Amino acid sequence: MPSFSTPFSATLVAGLLGAASAFEASVVASTRAGRSAVALRSPAARMATLAPPSAEMPSLDGALPDCPKTIWNADNMDIAAEQAKLRQDGLPACPLEIIATPAENAEGAAYFARNAEKFREMLREHGTLWFKGFDLMKTEQGFRTFYDSIGLSPCLDPIHTSGLRAFASARDAVYEEVNKQSLAGHYIGLHNEATTKKTARFGAFVCFKPATVKGGEFLIADGHAIFRDMDTSILKRLYDEKVRISVSNLDFDIFSGLGPLKDGALNFAKDLVGSVIAPKFDMDLEMLYGTDGKPYRLQAIEGKQPPVNRHPETGRPLWFCNVHNHARYLRDRRPCTVPEVGMTDVFMGDLSKIDAETLDHINEVSEKNIARCAMKEGEVLLCDNYRVLHGRDIFEGDRYHAVSWFDGWKGDQPSTVTDGGKPGNFLNKVINTLIK
């Protein structure tokens, strides 16, 4: 690397540190998208089912296990045959609504404990359960009581170690969803809460306050249905060639006029971001220039991955890819308020572009299978995170939704909590006191 003068080095390092901070924020921004009436609830019933005081349950702050590793099982898949079988077998409703009667609502946590095994089987069958009409889940503590009562084991978000996943209630393992006004006009496409390395087994999304003006509907889609409905030739080509996801852009056009120092400056920037910042995300990111045709753009790109997977419990094939949310072509054609540094993209496995026809088809099939969920206060969507993709529509006004992630069921896990010694817990607290 060429040697830099002291003033130039100081300026460069300061600029790169700022870019590195922007990179951190961008990864988070990029990875965040037949019914009966709800039973009426009386004030007396609401009072009867208020959550117990938080002090009655031990704090989970700093004690959660890491998000488990992604379970990949996509080898030797006959795409056409698997699609035909899904079409023949049919798929059950997703989501399945669970609507409280006044008596069930009045039971509070006891209702969920009593029906825990039944809900587990329903979730396995339907992929998502939509709980409606329960007052218990109107506070963070009550929401924790709900998931504890049905036996879920909470874990960290897949990229918690970045320090940029804000808790709504750390003691209750409840993360805040994407409610910020700066992203209210940003459409979050369908995605699994997953990286190539880590995937939460389940997620429970709770509404504490719907958007006060309009919008903000929660979006879900059954990955089995998307797999079933994809054009066979397109799906087979994506499966054979695999895909790679870029999670951030950093533009260093300022280096274009450095002459003989240019290559050294570009390599220094790449090494700084790649060695200091990227490892905190535990995502196996490769730092590459010029992938999208811009020679001074540094992109953080995950390794090759198949766009499909087999469900870890049932073995049935499903669409397991975040292209609907991450493809730049699709983001450019819908409401998007993410700055350039936070723009994502998806490439073929050899880093060539995915053609517009393929992306349009993925978008069409994904949106065909979206269930739009206008959640009310206290409602919960309990999702199988391998099977069901999620997103969020744009909104106006104030909105407060939250989520907890789970590594499985308590009876299936060696321990619900750990000693809190994982990297990133302290960083998460520090950064989230500074970022509002």
Side-chain angles (χ1 to χ4, degrees):
M1 174 186 292
S3 61
F4 298 132
S5 66
T6 301
F8 180 85
S9 298
T11 302
L12 176 61
V13 170
L16 288 174
L17 289 175
S21 297
F23 168 78
E24 290 185 81
S26 73
V27 175
V28 172
S30 70
T31 57
R32 300 281 120 328
R35 298 173 181 169
S36 303
V38 176
L40 296 176
R41 300 178 295 278
S42 68
R46 287 195 294 269
M47 291 301 294
T49 57
L50 287 176
S54 177
E56 293 182 11
M57 304 181 79
S59 175
L60 297 176
D61 188 7
L64 292 173
D66 200 1
C67 183
K69 292 181 179 180
T70 302
I71 302 170
W72 287 106
N73 181 19
D75 293 341
N76 304 314
M77 191 177 290
D78 186 332
I79 299 296
E82 296 285 12
Q83 287 182 310
K85 190 172 189 308
L86 281 174
R87 292 173 186 137
Q88 179 181 353
D89 294 347
L91 291 171
C94 178
L96 176 69
E97 297 186 358
I98 311 294
I99 304 175
T101 66
E104 291 167 342
N105 183 39
E107 280 190 71
Y111 168 78
F112 295 104
R114 179 167 57 83
N115 291 284
E117 189 61 34
K118 181 174 71 172
F119 291 145
R120 180 170 179 169
E121 289 304 314
M122 286 179 173
L123 184 61
R124 184 177 185 272
E125 176 71 12
H126 295 272
T128 299
L129 303 182
W130 187 354
F131 293 94
K132 294 182 169 184
F134 295 94
D135 292 312
L136 178 64
M137 295 89 86
K138 290 185 175 181
T139 66
E140 293 89 346
Q141 296 80 18
F143 175 57
R144 176 183 174 183
T145 300
F146 153 77
Y147 74 66
D148 186 73
S149 297
I150 61 175
L152 286 163
S153 169
C155 69
L156 294 176
D157 182 282
I159 61 169
H160 175 92
T161 51
S162 68
L164 286 162
R165 286 302 204 205
F167 275 116
S169 174
R171 66 164 291 113
D172 299 307
V174 180
Y175 287 92
E176 185 167 357
E177 265 293 318
V178 185
N179 303 308
K180 296 182 185 299
Q181 286 299 306
S182 60
L183 292 172
H186 176 69
Y187 178 95
I188 301 175
L190 294 175
H191 62 285
N192 305 93
E193 203 70 17
T195 70
T196 55
K197 293 185 69 175
K198 294 181 180 180
T199 301
R201 184 66 182 82
F202 304 106
F205 301 88
V206 59
C207 173
F208 293 128
K209 181 168 73 172
T212 53
V213 178
K214 66 177 181 179
E217 292 87 356
F218 201 77
L219 313 175
I220 64 167
D222 190 338
H224 291 319
I226 295 176
F227 181 100
R228 176 197 64 195
D229 294 343
M230 288 274 286
D231 177 87
T232 302
S233 62
I234 289 177
L235 185 56
K236 189 175 187 310
R237 176 166 55 87
L238 292 171
Y239 172 71
D240 289 341
E241 300 183 27
K242 297 184 172 56
V243 299
R244 296 188 68 179
I245 295 177
S246 170
V247 299
S248 181
N249 294 335
L250 288 174
D251 291 324
F252 292 105
D253 299 81
I254 190 174
F255 294 159
S256 61
L258 291 181
L261 299 179
K262 178 182 65 177
D263 289 344
L266 288 171
N267 288 332
F268 179 59
K270 177 180 176 179
D271 291 344
L272 177 66
V273 175
S275 63
V276 176
I277 305 301
K280 291 192 295 182
F281 292 89
D282 196 16
M283 290 174 68
D284 280 342
L285 297 171
E286 183 179 7
M287 312 306 297
L288 295 172
Y289 283 108
T291 305
D292 66 351
K294 298 183 181 298
Y296 298 104
R297 172 167 289 167
L298 180 65
Q299 292 183 295
I301 304 178
E302 290 191 272
K304 286 185 181 182
Q305 62 187 85
V308 300
N309 203 354
R310 292 184 177 92
H311 190 274
E313 187 176 355
T314 68
R316 300 180 83 186
L318 42 78
W319 178 255
F320 188 71
C321 186
N322 294 344
V323 63
H324 184 256
N325 183 55
H326 286 17
R328 172 129 197 187
Y329 172 85
L330 298 180
R331 282 194 165 193
D332 285 344
R333 286 157 177 77
R334 61 192 182 208
C336 179
T337 60
V338 172
E340 184 58 52
V341 68
M343 289 298 288
T344 56
D345 210 346
V346 184
F347 302 96
M348 298 299 293
D350 62 359
L351 292 178
S352 61
K353 287 188 175 181
I354 301 178
D355 62 273
E357 181 181 0
T358 295
L359 292 171
D360 284 335
H361 177 69
I362 292 171
N363 185 62
E364 178 184 1
V365 173
S366 297
E367 296 195 353
K368 167 188 171 183
N369 286 290
I370 286 176
R372 297 176 61 86
C373 305
M375 300 172 70
K376 297 180 180 180
E377 181 187 4
E379 293 185 359
V380 172
L381 283 165
L382 176 58
C383 299
D384 181 326
N385 186 48
Y386 274 86
R387 174 173 168 179
V388 174
L389 300 90
H390 63 275
R392 190 222 66 199
D393 207 345
I394 61 175
F395 67 92
E396 294 181 17
D398 295 326
R399 179 183 185 269
Y400 181 24
H401 284 227
V403 61
S404 288
W405 300 109
F406 309 98
D407 54 14
W409 302 96
K410 286 189 289 188
D412 299 338
Q413 304 302 318
S415 175
T416 302
V417 297
T418 71
D419 62 5
K422 296 166 293 302
N425 245 20
F426 175 74
L427 183 64
N428 184 283
K429 295 179 183 179
V430 172
I431 291 180
N432 281 295
T433 62
L434 302 175
I435 298 177
K436 302 298 183 185

